Amino acid sequence: MNDARIKQPKDMAEDTVWVQEISLIDSIPRWIAMSFVFAVFIGVWQLVTGLGLVSPIILPTPWETLEDMIFVGKNLIAGGYLLKALWITILEVIYGFALAITIGFSLGVLVGETAFGEKAVMPYLVAIDTMPKVAFAPLFVAWLGFGIESKVALAAFIATFPIVVGTAAGLHAADENARMLFKTMGASRLQTLIKMKLPTGLPQIFTGLKIGAVGVMAGAITGEFLGGGRGFGEQIRMAASQLNTPRVFSLILYLSLVGLALYALVTFAQRKVVFWHKEQVGSADG
Amino acid sequence: MNTEPSSEIIGAPLGAPVYELANVSKTYARNRVVALQDVNLTLHKGSFSSVIGSSGCGKSTLLKIMAGLIPPTKGRVILQGQPVKGARRDIGMMFQQATLFPWKTAVENIVLPIEIRDGKAAAMKAFDKAHDLLDVVGLKGFENVYPNELSGGMAQRASICRMLITEPAILLLDEPFSALDELSRDMMNMELQRICREQDATAFLVTHSIQEAVILSDDIYVMKPRPGRVAEIIDVDLPRPRTLNMMTTPKFGAIVDRIRRLLDKGEDM
Ligand SMILES: Nc1ncnc2c1ncn2[C@@H]1O[C@H](COP(=O)(O)OP(=O)(O)O)[C@@H](O)[C@H]1O
Ligand SMILES: [Mg+2]
C-alpha cells in the first residue's frame, strides 16, 4: 500500500506549480544595464554642456572630450611625448608597488607572526597610517629630488600600509584546530607559517594588495603634481593650468585604464592563487 | 591491584599502559576557570575509552593536555613511558571540524603529516598508502578532489586517513562525528572501531552522545562540571566486535540508563 502511494501520486493541477518570479529590473542583462547607465551619464553631460549651463572651460562637451581622447590615443600609439610621459608614470607605479609589496609583506609577517612586532611595531604603524600620507610628499621631494625616486617613494609609502594590515590579519586567520593539528604533526614555526598560516591568510593578503594597487596610483600622481617630473600627472597639471579641460579629462581617462589594468592583474593573480576561496566564486563575474 | 586475575575472567587481557594521568588539574589563568580537577586515568594498549559529560566540563581541555598542546597547572601525564612536555608525533588527533586545507587535494591533505615530518619527496612516496587509506574509508576515486567538493562526512573520512597515515599509537578524538547526521555517524563509528582493531590503536574519544560512548568503548569516563572532574568510570563489557544491533539489547539499554542518570545528577548541582 505504501508502494502504490510512492509510485502513483495523485494528478496535480498545473497551477500548483510554483514559478519563482524575478522582478523586471533584476532580470536585465548586465551589458544592457551598464550601457543604459552609460547612456544616461552621457545624456546628462550633453544636456548640461549643450544648454550652456556651465562654461566650456569648466566642463567640455562629451564630443570635445572624445575628440581629445582620439588625439591622445593617436599620440600614444605613435610613441609620442604622451607615451613617454605615461611610461614614466607606469614605471613609478610598478617600482612603487614592488617596493610596497616587499616592505609591506615583511612588516606584515613581523607584526602578524611575532609578539615583538605586535607589541612594538604595530602601534607605530597604526599611528603613521592615521596621518594624511600625501602630506609627506614635499618631504620625499626634498629628500629624493624631482626625479622618479620621490614619486616611487610616495606611491610605495601609501600602498605599504594596507599590505601590512592584510598580511598581519591573514596570519591571524587560521583557526585553533589548524594550529593544534600542525603542533601535533610536529611542525616547526617556519613550517607552520609557510604551509598553513600564509596560505590560510591569502584572501586577506590579496585584499591588502588590491587596496594597495589603488593607493599606488594615487601616490604616483600626487607625487607628480607636487614634485614635477615628466610623468602623466605633470601633463594633467599642465593641461589644467592652460585651461585645456578636454585634455585633462582624456588624460584622466587613460590614466584610469592603467589603474584598472593593475587592479585586474592583482585580481587575476588572486583567482589563480586563491582558487579555493568562496568569495572568488561569488564575485567571479564582478 | 588484582587486575591480572580479573582481566582473565573478562577474557580481554589488558595491554601495557599507554597513557597515565595522575592528579591532572587545569586552571585557566585568563579567567580563573577550574577546567579540570585531579583527573586520574590510565589507558591500556589497544583499548577504546570515552569521556562523556555536558559541554564546558573540561573534555577538550583534558584532550589538549594529553596531546601536550597546553600544560596542566598541576599533575603528571605519561605517554608510552615518557612524560608529555609539548606536542608529540606519536599522537593522531581529530576534531569536530575536518580541518582539511582547501588548497590541497584530498590525498595531499592526507600525506601532510609526512610532508611536515620528512619533506615533500617522502610525502609523494606516501601517495600509495594514502590511496589505500582512502579506499578503506570508502573514498576511492576522490584522491584528487579539493575539500570544498567533499560533504561533511566525506571530509571527516579524509581527516581519519590523515590521522592514520603516520600510524600513531594513540588516537585522540574530540567529538569527531558530532557534526554528522545520525546515520552517517553510526556508520563512521563502526568504521572507527574496525580501524582501531586493525591497527591495534589505543583510542580516546570525547563525545556527548551516550549511545556512541557505549557502543565503542571499553571504559567510559563520566565527567561533571565546575570544577571539571571524573565522577565515575563505567566498564562496558559488551562483546567485541560491537555491532549496531547491540544498541537494542537490554544490556546496552541498562548501561545507557546508568550513564544518563549519572549525568542528570550532574545537572542538578
Ligand atoms: N583557552 C581558554 N581560556 C579560558 N577558559 C577556557 C579556555 N578553554 C576552555 N575554557 C573554559 O574551561 C572550561 C572547559 O572547557 P572545555 O574543555 O572546552 O569543555 P568541553 O570540551 O567539555 O565542552 C569551560 O568553562 C571553558 O569556558
Ligand atoms: Mg569540547
Side-chain angles (χ1 to χ4, degrees):
Chain A
M1 143 184 121
N2 263 336
D3 282 0
R5 271 194 288 175
I6 289 167
K7 280 177 193 151
Q8 289 191 315
K10 277 190 209 149
D11 281 338
M12 277 194 277
E14 281 291 322
D15 58 12
T16 61
V17 176
W18 182 53
V19 180
Q20 196 169 15
E21 280 176 37
I22 300 172
S23 73
L24 198 62
I25 192 160
D26 290 331
S27 61
I28 300 172
R30 174 179 294 271
W31 68 273
I32 294 181
M34 283 182 72
S35 312
F36 175 74
V37 171
F38 186 71
V40 169
F41 174 72
I42 299 291
V44 171
W45 185 1
Q46 177 61 49
L47 207 67
V48 170
T49 50
L51 291 176
L53 295 176
V54 289
S55 148
I57 292 173
I58 293 172
L59 188 64
T61 63
W63 180 246
E64 284 171 328
T65 307
L66 182 66
E67 271 181 336
D68 203 89
M69 282 182 74
I70 292 168
F71 171 82
V72 173
K74 278 182 181 159
N75 190 295
L76 289 174
I77 291 167
Y81 68 98
L82 286 173
L83 183 72
K84 293 198 181 84
L86 185 62
W87 179 240
I88 288 171
T89 301
I90 289 176
L91 276 184
E92 289 163 4
V93 165
I94 292 174
Y95 291 150
F97 201 37
L99 203 61
I101 291 173
T102 312
I103 299 172
F105 183 75
S106 309
L107 282 178
V109 170
L110 180 70
V111 165
E113 174 65 13
T114 68
F116 174 82
E118 169 104 57
K119 283 184 245 176
V121 181
M122 194 61 187
Y124 295 106
L125 289 178
V126 172
I128 299 172
D129 195 24
T130 54
M131 299 177 189
K133 282 177 280 300
V134 290
F136 285 78
L139 267 183
F140 285 127
V141 174
W143 291 336
L144 300 168
F146 289 92
I148 181 173
E149 292 84 357
S150 54
K151 287 84 183 172
V152 170
L154 185 66
F157 187 55
I158 292 177
T160 296
F161 292 93
I163 300 175
V164 176
V165 172
T167 306
L171 291 180
H172 285 128
D175 67 7
E176 198 202 359
N177 285 353
R179 289 162 200 270
M180 292 200 291
L181 212 55
F182 263 69
K183 274 192 189 167
T184 54
M185 290 177 194
S188 68
R189 187 167 183 174
L190 188 65
Q191 280 179 319
T192 307
L193 178 66
I194 290 173
K195 290 182 192 291
M196 196 265 287
K197 288 190 187 178
L198 277 176
T200 304
L202 278 174
Q204 284 91 337
I205 294 174
F206 269 102
T207 303
L209 287 177
K210 281 182 180 171
I211 301 172
V214 175
V216 85
M217 279 300 295
I221 297 301
T222 312
E224 289 177 354
F225 282 170
L226 297 172
R230 290 175 292 126
F232 229 52
E234 174 64 11
Q235 294 296 330
I236 293 175
R237 199 191 56 74
M238 263 161 48
S241 71
Q242 293 159 4
L243 304 182
N244 185 355
T245 331
R247 176 61 48 85
V248 174
F249 269 55
S250 73
L251 290 178
I252 290 175
L253 285 168
Y254 278 103
L255 204 54
S256 73
L257 290 184
V258 177
L260 219 55
L262 186 65
Y263 194 83
L265 200 71
V266 177
T267 309
F268 176 78
Q270 180 176 23
R271 280 198 197 139
K272 288 287 156 215
V273 179
V274 201
F275 60 91
W276 67 85
H277 195 239
K278 277 195 219 80
E279 180 203 288
Q280 287 323 297
V281 180
S283 66
D285 63 343
Chain B
M1 291 132 249
N2 54 354
T3 44
E4 280 297 309
S6 71
S7 65
E8 304 262 284
I9 294 162
I10 298 170
L14 288 178
V18 174
Y19 253 120
E20 290 166 281
L21 274 70
N23 297 317
V24 168
S25 303
K26 175 77 185 180
T27 306
Y28 282 107
R30 202 178 61 197
N31 49 8
R32 321 215 106 264
V33 167
V34 183
L36 289 177
Q37 192 169 61
D38 290 324
V39 173
N40 295 290
L41 64 82
T42 305
L43 305 183
H44 295 274
K45 175 105 191 96
S47 69
F48 198 116
S49 312
S50 296
V51 53
I52 193 165
S54 55
S55 77
C57 71
K59 306 183 295 294
S60 296
T61 302
L62 177 62
L63 223 63
K64 284 179 209 167
I65 290 174
M66 290 171 74
L69 294 169
I70 56 172
T73 321
K74 188 166 81 68
R76 205 154 40 88
V77 181
I78 310 274
L79 170 56
Q80 315 231 65
Q82 301 280 326
V84 173
K85 291 175 177 164
R88 295 256 300 245
R89 279 186 170 141
D90 44 358
I91 296 170
M93 268 195 113
M94 243 180 106
F95 311 104
Q96 189 172 340
Q97 287 82 29
T99 317
L100 298 174
F101 298 103
W103 56 88
K104 286 178 175 292
T105 61
V107 71
E108 287 168 349
N109 264 290
I110 291 167
V111 299
L112 182 63
I114 304 219
E115 184 185 331
I116 301 269
R117 192 184 64 191
D118 304 324
K120 266 243 152 65
M124 305 272 271
K125 286 201 195 106
F127 273 9
D128 281 346
K129 192 172 172 190
H131 284 155
D132 293 345
L133 283 170
L134 278 167
D135 203 5
V136 167
V137 299
L139 277 184
K140 201 182 172 69
F142 287 90
E143 288 82 4
N144 299 317
V145 166
Y146 285 94
N148 49 18
E149 296 166 49
L150 298 175
S151 73
M154 289 155 88
Q156 272 308 23
R157 285 164 200 265
S159 83
I160 293 182
C161 299
R162 176 179 56 195
M163 172 177 73
L164 295 175
I165 191 97
T166 52
E167 296 172 16
I170 171 106
L171 310 179
L172 299 179
L173 312 155
D174 196 349
E175 305 185 16
F177 308 132
S178 62
L180 305 185
D181 59 279
E182 205 175 320
L183 287 174
S184 321
R185 194 202 303 184
D186 285 345
M187 265 163 52
M188 298 292 280
N189 281 335
M190 289 302 106
E191 270 175 38
L192 181 62
Q193 169 183 239
R194 186 168 51 80
I195 288 164
C196 287
R197 286 173 72 88
E198 272 170 17
Q199 313 230 342
D200 196 25
T202 310
F204 192 60
L205 170 80
V206 166
T207 177
H208 47 226
S209 157
I210 304 177
Q211 271 87 356
E212 184 173 77
V214 176
I215 202 68
L216 286 171
S217 312
D218 304 306
D219 302 299
I220 300 175
Y221 293 82
V222 181
M223 284 189 70
K224 289 189 178 174
R226 277 162 269 120
R229 64 204 185 277
V230 175
E232 191 103 23
I233 306 173
I234 311 278
D235 262 344
V236 182
D237 52 355
L238 294 166
R240 287 212 179 261
R242 307 273 168 79
T243 61
L244 292 175
N245 290 335
M246 287 181 186
M247 291 175 123
T248 56
T249 61
K251 193 164 187 180
F252 182 92
I255 300 172
V256 168
D257 248 26
R258 188 168 158 216
I259 295 173
R260 174 157 298 137
R261 245 174 282 139
L262 280 168
L263 288 172
D264 282 348
K265 256 196 279 173
E267 298 296 278
D268 291 342
M269 302 191 315

mmCIF file of all heavy atoms in Angstrom, chain A residues 86-118:
data_model
loop_
_atom_site.group_PDB
_atom_site.id
_atom_site.type_symbol
_atom_site.label_atom_id
_atom_site.label_comp_id
_atom_site.label_asym_id
_atom_site.label_seq_id
_atom_site.Cartn_x
_atom_site.Cartn_y
_atom_site.Cartn_z
ATOM 1 N N LEU A 86 53.484 58.742 -20.073
ATOM 2 C CA LEU A 86 52.719 57.636 -19.489
ATOM 3 C C LEU A 86 53.663 56.536 -19.004
ATOM 4 O O LEU A 86 53.473 55.968 -17.923
ATOM 5 C CB LEU A 86 51.736 57.076 -20.519
ATOM 6 C CG LEU A 86 50.790 55.988 -20.009
ATOM 7 C CD1 LEU A 86 49.901 56.532 -18.904
ATOM 8 C CD2 LEU A 86 49.937 55.423 -21.134
ATOM 9 N N TRP A 87 54.689 56.273 -19.780
ATOM 10 C CA TRP A 87 55.635 55.215 -19.428
ATOM 11 C C TRP A 87 56.340 55.549 -18.114
ATOM 12 O O TRP A 87 56.539 54.680 -17.265
ATOM 13 C CB TRP A 87 56.639 55.017 -20.553
ATOM 14 C CG TRP A 87 57.650 53.958 -20.253
ATOM 15 C CD1 TRP A 87 58.994 54.087 -20.178
ATOM 16 C CD2 TRP A 87 57.360 52.579 -19.956
ATOM 17 N NE1 TRP A 87 59.580 52.888 -19.846
ATOM 18 C CE2 TRP A 87 58.600 51.938 -19.707
ATOM 19 C CE3 TRP A 87 56.183 51.824 -19.861
ATOM 20 C CZ2 TRP A 87 58.700 50.598 -19.383
ATOM 21 C CZ3 TRP A 87 56.294 50.474 -19.537
ATOM 22 C CH2 TRP A 87 57.520 49.881 -19.303
ATOM 23 N N ILE A 88 56.671 56.823 -17.934
ATOM 24 C CA ILE A 88 57.308 57.225 -16.680
ATOM 25 C C ILE A 88 56.382 56.951 -15.499
ATOM 26 O O ILE A 88 56.788 56.378 -14.476
ATOM 27 C CB ILE A 88 57.701 58.718 -16.733
ATOM 28 C CG1 ILE A 88 58.886 58.894 -17.685
ATOM 29 C CG2 ILE A 88 58.054 59.251 -15.346
ATOM 30 C CD1 ILE A 88 59.232 60.332 -17.977
ATOM 31 N N THR A 89 55.112 57.320 -15.666
ATOM 32 C CA THR A 89 54.153 57.080 -14.585
ATOM 33 C C THR A 89 53.989 55.576 -14.324
ATOM 34 O O THR A 89 53.926 55.130 -13.178
ATOM 35 C CB THR A 89 52.798 57.705 -14.929
ATOM 36 O OG1 THR A 89 52.987 59.105 -15.125
ATOM 37 C CG2 THR A 89 51.787 57.481 -13.822
ATOM 38 N N ILE A 90 53.943 54.796 -15.419
ATOM 39 C CA ILE A 90 53.798 53.346 -15.245
ATOM 40 C C ILE A 90 54.999 52.784 -14.483
ATOM 41 O O ILE A 90 54.844 51.955 -13.581
ATOM 42 C CB ILE A 90 53.645 52.652 -16.619
ATOM 43 C CG1 ILE A 90 52.269 52.980 -17.208
ATOM 44 C CG2 ILE A 90 53.796 51.139 -16.485
ATOM 45 C CD1 ILE A 90 52.041 52.441 -18.610
ATOM 46 N N LEU A 91 56.183 53.265 -14.817
ATOM 47 C CA LEU A 91 57.380 52.803 -14.102
ATOM 48 C C LEU A 91 57.286 53.147 -12.619
ATOM 49 O O LEU A 91 57.593 52.327 -11.753
ATOM 50 C CB LEU A 91 58.637 53.446 -14.691
ATOM 51 C CG LEU A 91 59.235 52.769 -15.926
ATOM 52 C CD1 LEU A 91 60.518 53.470 -16.332
ATOM 53 C CD2 LEU A 91 59.478 51.283 -15.672
ATOM 54 N N GLU A 92 56.844 54.376 -12.327
ATOM 55 C CA GLU A 92 56.692 54.773 -10.921
ATOM 56 C C GLU A 92 55.737 53.838 -10.191
ATOM 57 O O GLU A 92 55.980 53.427 -9.053
ATOM 58 C CB GLU A 92 56.160 56.212 -10.834
ATOM 59 C CG GLU A 92 57.166 57.267 -11.241
ATOM 60 C CD GLU A 92 56.520 58.613 -11.542
ATOM 61 O OE1 GLU A 92 55.289 58.740 -11.352
ATOM 62 O OE2 GLU A 92 57.242 59.526 -11.963
ATOM 63 N N VAL A 93 54.662 53.498 -10.893
ATOM 64 C CA VAL A 93 53.661 52.615 -10.284
ATOM 65 C C VAL A 93 54.237 51.223 -10.056
ATOM 66 O O VAL A 93 54.076 50.630 -8.982
ATOM 67 C CB VAL A 93 52.393 52.553 -11.170
ATOM 68 C CG1 VAL A 93 51.511 51.394 -10.761
ATOM 69 C CG2 VAL A 93 51.631 53.857 -11.085
ATOM 70 N N ILE A 94 54.941 50.697 -11.057
ATOM 71 C CA ILE A 94 55.497 49.348 -10.922
ATOM 72 C C ILE A 94 56.542 49.302 -9.804
ATOM 73 O O ILE A 94 56.475 48.455 -8.907
ATOM 74 C CB ILE A 94 56.137 48.883 -12.255
ATOM 75 C CG1 ILE A 94 55.046 48.674 -13.312
ATOM 76 C CG2 ILE A 94 56.921 47.593 -12.057
ATOM 77 C CD1 ILE A 94 55.589 48.362 -14.691
ATOM 78 N N TYR A 95 57.487 50.242 -9.838
ATOM 79 C CA TYR A 95 58.515 50.268 -8.784
ATOM 80 C C TYR A 95 57.877 50.491 -7.411
ATOM 81 O O TYR A 95 58.235 49.844 -6.426
ATOM 82 C CB TYR A 95 59.547 51.367 -9.061
ATOM 83 C CG TYR A 95 60.432 51.108 -10.257
ATOM 84 C CD1 TYR A 95 60.960 52.160 -11.007
ATOM 85 C CD2 TYR A 95 60.748 49.811 -10.642
ATOM 86 C CE1 TYR A 95 61.775 51.929 -12.112
ATOM 87 C CE2 TYR A 95 61.546 49.569 -11.735
ATOM 88 C CZ TYR A 95 62.066 50.627 -12.477
ATOM 89 O OH TYR A 95 62.863 50.386 -13.554
ATOM 90 N N GLY A 96 56.931 51.418 -7.361
ATOM 91 C CA GLY A 96 56.279 51.731 -6.086
ATOM 92 C C GLY A 96 55.546 50.516 -5.526
ATOM 93 O O GLY A 96 55.636 50.216 -4.337
ATOM 94 N N PHE A 97 54.851 49.814 -6.415
ATOM 95 C CA PHE A 97 54.084 48.648 -5.966
ATOM 96 C C PHE A 97 55.034 47.537 -5.509
ATOM 97 O O PHE A 97 54.805 46.903 -4.469
ATOM 98 C CB PHE A 97 53.179 48.167 -7.097
ATOM 99 C CG PHE A 97 52.017 47.338 -6.632
ATOM 100 C CD1 PHE A 97 51.352 47.619 -5.443
ATOM 101 C CD2 PHE A 97 51.562 46.265 -7.390
ATOM 102 C CE1 PHE A 97 50.273 46.860 -5.022
ATOM 103 C CE2 PHE A 97 50.480 45.495 -6.973
ATOM 104 C CZ PHE A 97 49.846 45.800 -5.784
ATOM 105 N N ALA A 98 56.088 47.313 -6.278
ATOM 106 C CA ALA A 98 57.053 46.270 -5.902
ATOM 107 C C ALA A 98 57.666 46.578 -4.533
ATOM 108 O O ALA A 98 57.782 45.695 -3.670
ATOM 109 C CB ALA A 98 58.150 46.167 -6.962
ATOM 110 N N LEU A 99 58.000 47.846 -4.334
ATOM 111 C CA LEU A 99 58.578 48.258 -3.062
ATOM 112 C C LEU A 99 57.566 48.081 -1.923
ATOM 113 O O LEU A 99 57.895 47.563 -0.847
ATOM 114 C CB LEU A 99 58.998 49.730 -3.160
ATOM 115 C CG LEU A 99 60.067 50.233 -2.206
ATOM 116 C CD1 LEU A 99 61.364 49.457 -2.425
ATOM 117 C CD2 LEU A 99 60.310 51.732 -2.448
ATOM 118 N N ALA A 100 56.325 48.483 -2.191
ATOM 119 C CA ALA A 100 55.274 48.371 -1.172
ATOM 120 C C ALA A 100 55.029 46.913 -0.809
ATOM 121 O O ALA A 100 54.833 46.571 0.358
ATOM 122 C CB ALA A 100 53.979 49.018 -1.671
ATOM 123 N N ILE A 101 55.028 46.036 -1.826
ATOM 124 C CA ILE A 101 54.795 44.617 -1.552
ATOM 125 C C ILE A 101 55.932 44.068 -0.693
ATOM 126 O O ILE A 101 55.698 43.370 0.302
ATOM 127 C CB ILE A 101 54.666 43.820 -2.867
ATOM 128 C CG1 ILE A 101 53.368 44.197 -3.588
ATOM 129 C CG2 ILE A 101 54.677 42.322 -2.591
ATOM 130 C CD1 ILE A 101 53.234 43.582 -4.964
ATOM 131 N N THR A 102 57.172 44.396 -1.052
ATOM 132 C CA THR A 102 58.323 43.878 -0.313
ATOM 133 C C THR A 102 58.296 44.335 1.143
ATOM 134 O O THR A 102 58.363 43.517 2.069
ATOM 135 C CB THR A 102 59.638 44.360 -0.963
ATOM 136 O OG1 THR A 102 59.552 44.126 -2.367
ATOM 137 C CG2 THR A 102 60.824 43.623 -0.400
ATOM 138 N N ILE A 103 58.171 45.668 1.314
ATOM 139 C CA ILE A 103 58.188 46.198 2.675
ATOM 140 C C ILE A 103 56.927 45.798 3.433
ATOM 141 O O ILE A 103 56.978 45.360 4.586
ATOM 142 C CB ILE A 103 58.331 47.734 2.652
ATOM 143 C CG1 ILE A 103 59.645 48.126 1.970
ATOM 144 C CG2 ILE A 103 58.271 48.309 4.065
ATOM 145 C CD1 ILE A 103 59.780 49.611 1.726
ATOM 146 N N GLY A 104 55.781 45.920 2.778
ATOM 147 C CA GLY A 104 54.502 45.640 3.433
ATOM 148 C C GLY A 104 54.414 44.192 3.882
ATOM 149 O O GLY A 104 53.979 43.897 4.995
ATOM 150 N N PHE A 105 54.839 43.288 3.013
ATOM 151 C CA PHE A 105 54.764 41.875 3.361
ATOM 152 C C PHE A 105 55.718 41.551 4.515
ATOM 153 O O PHE A 105 55.339 40.861 5.465
ATOM 154 C CB PHE A 105 55.086 41.034 2.130
ATOM 155 C CG PHE A 105 54.965 39.559 2.350
ATOM 156 C CD1 PHE A 105 53.715 38.964 2.433
ATOM 157 C CD2 PHE A 105 56.094 38.770 2.502
ATOM 158 C CE1 PHE A 105 53.594 37.607 2.653
ATOM 159 C CE2 PHE A 105 55.985 37.414 2.726
ATOM 160 C CZ PHE A 105 54.733 36.831 2.795
ATOM 161 N N SER A 106 56.927 42.093 4.446
ATOM 162 C CA SER A 106 57.889 41.817 5.515
ATOM 163 C C SER A 106 57.390 42.349 6.861
ATOM 164 O O SER A 106 57.411 41.640 7.869
ATOM 165 C CB SER A 106 59.237 42.462 5.198
ATOM 166 O OG SER A 106 59.644 42.114 3.901
ATOM 167 N N LEU A 107 56.937 43.582 6.855
ATOM 168 C CA LEU A 107 56.411 44.155 8.101
ATOM 169 C C LEU A 107 55.171 43.386 8.565
ATOM 170 O O LEU A 107 54.971 43.156 9.754
ATOM 171 C CB LEU A 107 56.052 45.634 7.910
ATOM 172 C CG LEU A 107 57.218 46.626 7.926
ATOM 173 C CD1 LEU A 107 56.709 48.039 7.665
ATOM 174 C CD2 LEU A 107 57.931 46.572 9.271
ATOM 175 N N GLY A 108 54.347 42.978 7.611
ATOM 176 C CA GLY A 108 53.136 42.222 7.944
ATOM 177 C C GLY A 108 53.478 40.921 8.645
ATOM 178 O O GLY A 108 52.840 40.542 9.626
ATOM 179 N N VAL A 109 54.501 40.229 8.150
ATOM 180 C CA VAL A 109 54.920 38.978 8.788
ATOM 181 C C VAL A 109 55.488 39.271 10.179
ATOM 182 O O VAL A 109 55.178 38.578 11.144
ATOM 183 C CB VAL A 109 55.952 38.235 7.907
ATOM 184 C CG1 VAL A 109 56.565 37.068 8.667
ATOM 185 C CG2 VAL A 109 55.289 37.744 6.632
ATOM 186 N N LEU A 110 56.275 40.332 10.279
ATOM 187 C CA LEU A 110 56.847 40.700 11.586
ATOM 188 C C LEU A 110 55.742 40.974 12.606
ATOM 189 O O LEU A 110 55.768 40.484 13.735
ATOM 190 C CB LEU A 110 57.737 41.942 11.434
ATOM 191 C CG LEU A 110 58.401 42.461 12.707
ATOM 192 C CD1 LEU A 110 59.492 41.488 13.156
ATOM 193 C CD2 LEU A 110 58.994 43.847 12.503
ATOM 194 N N VAL A 111 54.746 41.736 12.162
ATOM 195 C CA VAL A 111 53.672 42.128 13.073
ATOM 196 C C VAL A 111 52.712 40.962 13.345
ATOM 197 O O VAL A 111 52.256 40.764 14.467
ATOM 198 C CB VAL A 111 52.899 43.324 12.468
ATOM 199 C CG1 VAL A 111 51.583 43.531 13.188
ATOM 200 C CG2 VAL A 111 53.748 44.571 12.538
ATOM 201 N N GLY A 112 52.431 40.169 12.293
ATOM 202 C CA GLY A 112 51.437 39.110 12.429
ATOM 203 C C GLY A 112 51.981 37.853 13.073
ATOM 204 O O GLY A 112 51.236 37.068 13.643
ATOM 205 N N GLU A 113 53.296 37.650 12.985
ATOM 206 C CA GLU A 113 53.844 36.368 13.421
ATOM 207 C C GLU A 113 54.568 36.475 14.768
ATOM 208 O O GLU A 113 54.599 35.531 15.528
ATOM 209 C CB GLU A 113 54.777 35.820 12.328
ATOM 210 C CG GLU A 113 55.544 34.570 12.678
ATOM 211 C CD GLU A 113 54.668 33.351 12.907
ATOM 212 O OE1 GLU A 113 53.476 33.409 12.561
ATOM 213 O OE2 GLU A 113 55.170 32.353 13.443
ATOM 214 N N THR A 114 55.144 37.639 15.058
ATOM 215 C CA THR A 114 55.927 37.733 16.293
ATOM 216 C C THR A 114 55.219 38.627 17.310
ATOM 217 O O THR A 114 54.601 39.630 16.957
ATOM 218 C CB THR A 114 57.330 38.321 16.031
ATOM 219 O OG1 THR A 114 57.192 39.698 15.666
ATOM 220 C CG2 THR A 114 58.034 37.580 14.923
ATOM 221 N N ALA A 115 55.329 38.227 18.566
ATOM 222 C CA ALA A 115 54.750 39.027 19.642
ATOM 223 C C ALA A 115 55.456 40.376 19.715
ATOM 224 O O ALA A 115 54.846 41.402 20.003
ATOM 225 C CB ALA A 115 54.869 38.288 20.973
ATOM 226 N N PHE A 116 56.770 40.379 19.396
ATOM 227 C CA PHE A 116 57.528 41.628 19.414
ATOM 228 C C PHE A 116 56.949 42.623 18.403
ATOM 229 O O PHE A 116 56.678 43.779 18.737
ATOM 230 C CB PHE A 116 59.002 41.354 19.084
ATOM 231 C CG PHE A 116 59.815 42.613 18.934
ATOM 232 C CD1 PHE A 116 60.312 43.271 20.039
ATOM 233 C CD2 PHE A 116 60.053 43.149 17.669
ATOM 234 C CE1 PHE A 116 61.046 44.438 19.900
ATOM 235 C CE2 PHE A 116 60.785 44.319 17.521
ATOM 236 C CZ PHE A 116 61.278 44.957 18.635
ATOM 237 N N GLY A 117 56.728 42.144 17.187
ATOM 238 C CA GLY A 117 56.174 43.020 16.147
ATOM 239 C C GLY A 117 54.812 43.553 16.536
ATOM 240 O O GLY A 117 54.514 44.745 16.372
ATOM 241 N N GLU A 118 53.999 42.658 17.097
ATOM 242 C CA GLU A 118 52.653 43.045 17.505
ATOM 243 C C GLU A 118 52.704 44.134 18.572
ATOM 244 O O GLU A 118 51.954 45.103 18.550
ATOM 245 C CB GLU A 118 51.929 41.799 18.044
ATOM 246 C CG GLU A 118 50.625 42.088 18.733
ATOM 247 C CD GLU A 118 49.457 41.730 17.850
ATOM 248 O OE1 GLU A 118 49.394 40.561 17.437
ATOM 249 O OE2 GLU A 118 48.628 42.598 17.555
#
